[in-house]
Amino acid sequence: MDPAMPTSAFNVILNLARSDQSLSLSDPTTPTSNPVSIKKAYDSVPKELPQKGLGTEKTISWLLENIAQGFAAGQSGPRYFGFVTGGVLPAAQLGDFITTIYDQNVQVHLPEHSLSTLLEARTLEMVLDLLWIDRNAFKGRVITTGATASNILGLACGRDYVIKRLRPDYDVSEDGLIGAPPVKVLAERPHLSILKAAAVVGIGRSNVESINTGGKYTFVEALEEAMIRNSQGGTGMIVSVSFGEVNTGEFTPNLKKIRELCDIYGAWLHIDAAFGAFARVSSSPATRGLADGIELGDSITSDGHKWLNLPYDCGLFFSQNESDLVSVFGPSPRTGGAAYLKTHTDDGDLPSVTSPLYLGIENSRRFRALPMFCALVAMGREGYTEVVDRNIGFAKRIGKWICGQESYELLNGNEEGEVPLNVVLFRGRKEGMDLEKAINERGKIYVTGTKWEGRSAVRLAVSNWKTGLDGNEDFEAVINALESVVM
Ligand SMILES: *Cc1c(COP(=O)(O)O)cnc(C)c1O
């Protein structure tokens, strides 16, 4: 036993691990709370900071009795199909408890004090292995708070790269955007977080140009046209493509050709693969093929809290060179870093790694690598492949069923009603019905609404490790919910 771990905590956690269950506070098949419970819970929330504290026991027991009923306890459960939510694997949940118990701040590499930075480095290598991405091709690696933060990193790295290429004497991270050449993001069906990222890194939302794939042009043709036009105006370009578009689960095709264009025009290629990267974990060659070419990106965004089934919050970012990140997030090349943050370089028997502090936004942060490490070791490649295959199989079954219904229209399937990945996009044929609301009000499953080709639609995303584990019950719950709202 590790002497640093208090015996009691160690036993509590080990007992949980023996049951191979994660803790959930109520029936995980009820996806959300309800307005009555939420109102009741809200009414019991103190209106102001208490003068005298309640103490730990009273606070927690009161919270569990009065407040917890207001949370969406089934959001980490098998029938919550909103957004792309994922769940929490038991090993990840226990790893997260341990993370809090040790409360490591992991941003400075101090190998004589803690293993944390080395464990994080090893964990990120394992993620690359899981995704069949060559460890040596992506040396810039960092754990973020989510795909949004990763997209900010991607656009920041791209911004520095394209400006440096146009003006080798100019360092935008040192001197700012005023005086720098303009930068545009040419994007294929960007997630809204790409717009947020453009705002944060000073490119500006209006400089995100959606490349139209409709009509007679392919994406590559439309992209080439946009690149010729923008390069004539001396604009630096970041190309942002979608691996797993959020409404459809579709992938930007033909990465090889896109890479060639980026090389010709000096553009940075960013791949938003928040959940789509996990197509590569599938046992099906056709599914894996959807995410071909991921290694051609200069930077890759992915998520830990979605299909990797880690607790919120956890995102992943990879770039080909560590220097891409250090140029933005590292110390100033003119003035150097803070002396007190000087990290260890000569580690004797241990490898040296760059302090995560120089690779991402935060100077202090949670030891997010630990739940990730626990999940990867507990599941192994086979465990994750089983989850990804089961989730995709579930979505495909729902898609096929919807395709055969008079009352429904499947929007992201082929002629046989096969959806590309783990998202099912559909609408009801009945006019004037708020389908999302009707489904969610019944409280059996949860879906999210979206707009598709100007009209409302519903998306059902399958990414929870529990979905479909109980034989046919989750599938039947979806079918029953969809049948009951159109009856
Ligand atoms: C979910 C998602 C994001 C945003 O990710 P967060 O983890 O919520 O910040 C970005 N891009 C795509 C494609 C996504 O699916």
mmCIF file of all heavy atoms in Angstrom, residues 182-208:
data_model
loop_
_atom_site.group_PDB
_atom_site.id
_atom_site.type_symbol
_atom_site.label_atom_id
_atom_site.label_comp_id
_atom_site.label_asym_id
_atom_site.label_seq_id
_atom_site.Cartn_x
_atom_site.Cartn_y
_atom_site.Cartn_z
ATOM 1 N N PRO A 182 -3.175 39.969 -42.386
ATOM 2 C CA PRO A 182 -4.458 39.406 -41.957
ATOM 3 C C PRO A 182 -4.463 37.877 -42.049
ATOM 4 O O PRO A 182 -3.715 37.290 -42.816
ATOM 5 C CB PRO A 182 -5.457 40.012 -42.952
ATOM 6 C CG PRO A 182 -4.654 40.380 -44.151
ATOM 7 C CD PRO A 182 -3.275 40.705 -43.665
ATOM 8 N N VAL A 183 -5.320 37.284 -41.220
ATOM 9 C CA VAL A 183 -5.432 35.819 -41.208
ATOM 10 C C VAL A 183 -6.904 35.449 -41.356
ATOM 11 O O VAL A 183 -7.778 36.094 -40.777
ATOM 12 C CB VAL A 183 -4.891 35.231 -39.882
ATOM 13 C CG1 VAL A 183 -5.058 33.720 -39.848
ATOM 14 C CG2 VAL A 183 -3.427 35.590 -39.682
ATOM 15 N N LYS A 184 -7.143 34.420 -42.134
ATOM 16 C CA LYS A 184 -8.506 33.894 -42.275
ATOM 17 C C LYS A 184 -8.537 32.415 -41.945
ATOM 18 O O LYS A 184 -7.538 31.713 -42.125
ATOM 19 C CB LYS A 184 -8.969 34.072 -43.724
ATOM 20 C CG LYS A 184 -9.797 35.316 -43.929
ATOM 21 C CD LYS A 184 -10.590 35.199 -45.208
ATOM 22 C CE LYS A 184 -11.576 36.363 -45.279
ATOM 23 N NZ LYS A 184 -12.292 36.372 -46.538
ATOM 24 N N VAL A 185 -9.693 31.980 -41.477
ATOM 25 C CA VAL A 185 -9.918 30.545 -41.280
ATOM 26 C C VAL A 185 -10.874 30.086 -42.371
ATOM 27 O O VAL A 185 -11.974 30.635 -42.504
ATOM 28 C CB VAL A 185 -10.528 30.247 -39.896
ATOM 29 C CG1 VAL A 185 -10.755 28.740 -39.720
ATOM 30 C CG2 VAL A 185 -9.638 30.778 -38.777
ATOM 31 N N LEU A 186 -10.436 29.133 -43.177
ATOM 32 C CA LEU A 186 -11.306 28.557 -44.204
ATOM 33 C C LEU A 186 -11.793 27.228 -43.651
ATOM 34 O O LEU A 186 -10.995 26.316 -43.405
ATOM 35 C CB LEU A 186 -10.529 28.348 -45.506
ATOM 36 C CG LEU A 186 -9.765 29.586 -46.031
ATOM 37 C CD1 LEU A 186 -8.975 29.228 -47.292
ATOM 38 C CD2 LEU A 186 -10.724 30.733 -46.306
ATOM 39 N N ALA A 187 -13.101 27.138 -43.423
ATOM 40 C CA ALA A 187 -13.573 26.017 -42.610
ATOM 41 C C ALA A 187 -14.649 25.200 -43.310
ATOM 42 O O ALA A 187 -15.505 25.747 -44.012
ATOM 43 C CB ALA A 187 -14.107 26.546 -41.290
ATOM 44 N N GLU A 188 -14.597 23.921 -43.083
ATOM 45 C CA GLU A 188 -15.648 23.025 -43.561
ATOM 46 C C GLU A 188 -16.582 22.725 -42.396
ATOM 47 O O GLU A 188 -16.167 22.140 -41.402
ATOM 48 C CB GLU A 188 -15.043 21.734 -44.121
ATOM 49 C CG GLU A 188 -15.933 21.025 -45.124
ATOM 50 C CD GLU A 188 -16.884 19.992 -44.515
ATOM 51 O OE1 GLU A 188 -16.439 19.195 -43.677
ATOM 52 O OE2 GLU A 188 -18.076 19.971 -44.885
ATOM 53 N N ARG A 189 -17.823 23.187 -42.513
ATOM 54 C CA ARG A 189 -18.852 23.019 -41.491
ATOM 55 C C ARG A 189 -18.292 23.136 -40.061
ATOM 56 O O ARG A 189 -18.330 22.178 -39.282
ATOM 57 C CB ARG A 189 -19.576 21.691 -41.686
ATOM 58 C CG ARG A 189 -20.424 21.711 -42.963
ATOM 59 C CD ARG A 189 -21.314 20.516 -43.073
ATOM 60 N NE ARG A 189 -20.567 19.328 -43.442
ATOM 61 C CZ ARG A 189 -21.092 18.120 -43.520
ATOM 62 N NH1 ARG A 189 -22.346 17.921 -43.222
ATOM 63 N NH2 ARG A 189 -20.353 17.088 -43.891
ATOM 64 N N PRO A 190 -17.765 24.330 -39.732
ATOM 65 C CA PRO A 190 -17.107 24.461 -38.426
ATOM 66 C C PRO A 190 -18.081 24.349 -37.262
ATOM 67 O O PRO A 190 -19.208 24.838 -37.345
ATOM 68 C CB PRO A 190 -16.524 25.884 -38.478
ATOM 69 C CG PRO A 190 -17.382 26.609 -39.469
ATOM 70 C CD PRO A 190 -17.777 25.583 -40.494
ATOM 71 N N HIS A 191 -17.645 23.728 -36.220
ATOM 72 C CA HIS A 191 -18.337 23.763 -34.928
ATOM 73 C C HIS A 191 -18.287 25.204 -34.428
ATOM 74 O O HIS A 191 -17.342 25.939 -34.721
ATOM 75 C CB HIS A 191 -17.609 22.827 -33.964
ATOM 76 C CG HIS A 191 -18.319 22.609 -32.665
ATOM 77 N ND1 HIS A 191 -18.123 23.416 -31.577
ATOM 78 C CD2 HIS A 191 -19.232 21.681 -32.288
ATOM 79 C CE1 HIS A 191 -18.881 22.988 -30.569
ATOM 80 N NE2 HIS A 191 -19.561 21.927 -30.987
ATOM 81 N N LEU A 192 -19.289 25.607 -33.661
ATOM 82 C CA LEU A 192 -19.337 26.995 -33.179
ATOM 83 C C LEU A 192 -18.091 27.376 -32.385
ATOM 84 O O LEU A 192 -17.717 28.551 -32.319
ATOM 85 C CB LEU A 192 -20.585 27.208 -32.318
ATOM 86 C CG LEU A 192 -21.889 27.390 -33.103
ATOM 87 C CD1 LEU A 192 -23.065 27.489 -32.158
ATOM 88 C CD2 LEU A 192 -21.811 28.625 -33.999
ATOM 89 N N SER A 193 -17.446 26.397 -31.797
ATOM 90 C CA SER A 193 -16.252 26.696 -31.013
ATOM 91 C C SER A 193 -15.100 27.203 -31.880
ATOM 92 O O SER A 193 -14.178 27.844 -31.360
ATOM 93 C CB SER A 193 -15.811 25.458 -30.218
ATOM 94 O OG SER A 193 -15.570 24.381 -31.088
ATOM 95 N N ILE A 194 -15.141 26.946 -33.176
ATOM 96 C CA ILE A 194 -14.113 27.509 -34.071
ATOM 97 C C ILE A 194 -14.295 29.026 -34.152
ATOM 98 O O ILE A 194 -13.326 29.797 -34.164
ATOM 99 C CB ILE A 194 -14.183 26.859 -35.479
ATOM 100 C CG1 ILE A 194 -13.783 25.365 -35.418
ATOM 101 C CG2 ILE A 194 -13.320 27.616 -36.497
ATOM 102 C CD1 ILE A 194 -12.305 25.100 -35.216
ATOM 103 N N LEU A 195 -15.563 29.467 -34.158
ATOM 104 C CA LEU A 195 -15.824 30.919 -34.163
ATOM 105 C C LEU A 195 -15.339 31.541 -32.855
ATOM 106 O O LEU A 195 -14.737 32.618 -32.827
ATOM 107 C CB LEU A 195 -17.324 31.181 -34.336
ATOM 108 C CG LEU A 195 -17.922 30.714 -35.667
ATOM 109 C CD1 LEU A 195 -19.436 30.871 -35.661
ATOM 110 C CD2 LEU A 195 -17.329 31.505 -36.823
ATOM 111 N N LYS A 196 -15.615 30.849 -31.751
ATOM 112 C CA LYS A 196 -15.161 31.333 -30.451
ATOM 113 C C LYS A 196 -13.629 31.432 -30.442
ATOM 114 O O LYS A 196 -13.053 32.423 -29.999
ATOM 115 C CB LYS A 196 -15.625 30.339 -29.379
ATOM 116 C CG LYS A 196 -15.695 30.898 -27.996
ATOM 117 C CD LYS A 196 -16.054 29.817 -27.001
ATOM 118 C CE LYS A 196 -17.454 29.934 -26.500
ATOM 119 N NZ LYS A 196 -17.707 29.077 -25.319
ATOM 120 N N ALA A 197 -12.988 30.399 -30.972
ATOM 121 C CA ALA A 197 -11.519 30.385 -31.009
ATOM 122 C C ALA A 197 -10.998 31.546 -31.849
ATOM 123 O O ALA A 197 -10.021 32.207 -31.473
ATOM 124 C CB ALA A 197 -11.018 29.047 -31.556
ATOM 125 N N ALA A 198 -11.660 31.811 -32.980
ATOM 126 C CA ALA A 198 -11.225 32.914 -33.848
ATOM 127 C C ALA A 198 -11.340 34.239 -33.106
ATOM 128 O O ALA A 198 -10.486 35.125 -33.241
ATOM 129 C CB ALA A 198 -12.056 32.937 -35.136
ATOM 130 N N ALA A 199 -12.391 34.380 -32.299
ATOM 131 C CA ALA A 199 -12.554 35.607 -31.517
ATOM 132 C C ALA A 199 -11.448 35.727 -30.474
ATOM 133 O O ALA A 199 -10.862 36.793 -30.293
ATOM 134 C CB ALA A 199 -13.930 35.621 -30.845
ATOM 135 N N VAL A 200 -11.132 34.627 -29.813
ATOM 136 C CA VAL A 200 -10.144 34.666 -28.728
ATOM 137 C C VAL A 200 -8.744 34.988 -29.245
ATOM 138 O O VAL A 200 -8.027 35.788 -28.645
ATOM 139 C CB VAL A 200 -10.123 33.322 -27.952
ATOM 140 C CG1 VAL A 200 -8.962 33.277 -26.975
ATOM 141 C CG2 VAL A 200 -11.435 33.108 -27.214
ATOM 142 N N VAL A 201 -8.349 34.387 -30.358
ATOM 143 C CA VAL A 201 -6.955 34.567 -30.806
ATOM 144 C C VAL A 201 -6.791 35.795 -31.698
ATOM 145 O O VAL A 201 -5.717 36.021 -32.244
ATOM 146 C CB VAL A 201 -6.372 33.305 -31.492
ATOM 147 C CG1 VAL A 201 -6.538 32.082 -30.597
ATOM 148 C CG2 VAL A 201 -7.000 33.055 -32.859
ATOM 149 N N GLY A 202 -7.842 36.596 -31.829
ATOM 150 C CA GLY A 202 -7.715 37.874 -32.527
ATOM 151 C C GLY A 202 -7.900 37.803 -34.032
ATOM 152 O O GLY A 202 -7.701 38.796 -34.730
ATOM 153 N N ILE A 203 -8.274 36.634 -34.536
ATOM 154 C CA ILE A 203 -8.558 36.527 -35.974
ATOM 155 C C ILE A 203 -9.913 37.173 -36.266
ATOM 156 O O ILE A 203 -10.095 37.864 -37.264
ATOM 157 C CB ILE A 203 -8.539 35.041 -36.419
ATOM 158 C CG1 ILE A 203 -7.117 34.478 -36.311
ATOM 159 C CG2 ILE A 203 -9.073 34.875 -37.840
ATOM 160 C CD1 ILE A 203 -7.016 32.979 -36.538
ATOM 161 N N GLY A 204 -10.847 36.943 -35.368
ATOM 162 C CA GLY A 204 -12.188 37.526 -35.525
ATOM 163 C C GLY A 204 -13.156 36.555 -36.172
ATOM 164 O O GLY A 204 -12.817 35.860 -37.131
ATOM 165 N N ARG A 205 -14.363 36.523 -35.614
ATOM 166 C CA ARG A 205 -15.385 35.591 -36.138
ATOM 167 C C ARG A 205 -15.703 35.849 -37.603
ATOM 168 O O ARG A 205 -15.961 34.920 -38.356
ATOM 169 C CB ARG A 205 -16.670 35.722 -35.311
ATOM 170 C CG ARG A 205 -16.581 35.103 -33.938
ATOM 171 C CD ARG A 205 -17.934 35.147 -33.249
ATOM 172 N NE ARG A 205 -18.266 36.503 -32.837
ATOM 173 C CZ ARG A 205 -18.052 36.981 -31.598
ATOM 174 N NH1 ARG A 205 -17.547 36.202 -30.664
ATOM 175 N NH2 ARG A 205 -18.362 38.218 -31.323
ATOM 176 N N SER A 206 -15.673 37.145 -38.020
ATOM 177 C CA SER A 206 -16.066 37.431 -39.411
ATOM 178 C C SER A 206 -15.001 36.943 -40.393
ATOM 179 O O SER A 206 -15.238 36.918 -41.595
ATOM 180 C CB SER A 206 -16.322 38.924 -39.594
ATOM 181 O OG SER A 206 -15.096 39.621 -39.531
ATOM 182 N N ASN A 207 -13.847 36.566 -39.876
ATOM 183 C CA ASN A 207 -12.808 36.033 -40.766
ATOM 184 C C ASN A 207 -12.784 34.513 -40.811
ATOM 185 O O ASN A 207 -11.815 33.916 -41.275
ATOM 186 C CB ASN A 207 -11.446 36.598 -40.365
ATOM 187 C CG ASN A 207 -11.367 38.078 -40.671
ATOM 188 O OD1 ASN A 207 -11.716 38.501 -41.782
ATOM 189 N ND2 ASN A 207 -10.977 38.872 -39.695
ATOM 190 N N VAL A 208 -13.845 33.911 -40.306
ATOM 191 C CA VAL A 208 -14.029 32.469 -40.513
ATOM 192 C C VAL A 208 -14.942 32.323 -41.721
ATOM 193 O O VAL A 208 -16.099 32.723 -41.689
ATOM 194 C CB VAL A 208 -14.658 31.783 -39.282
ATOM 195 C CG1 VAL A 208 -14.875 30.293 -39.563
ATOM 196 C CG2 VAL A 208 -13.768 31.967 -38.056
#
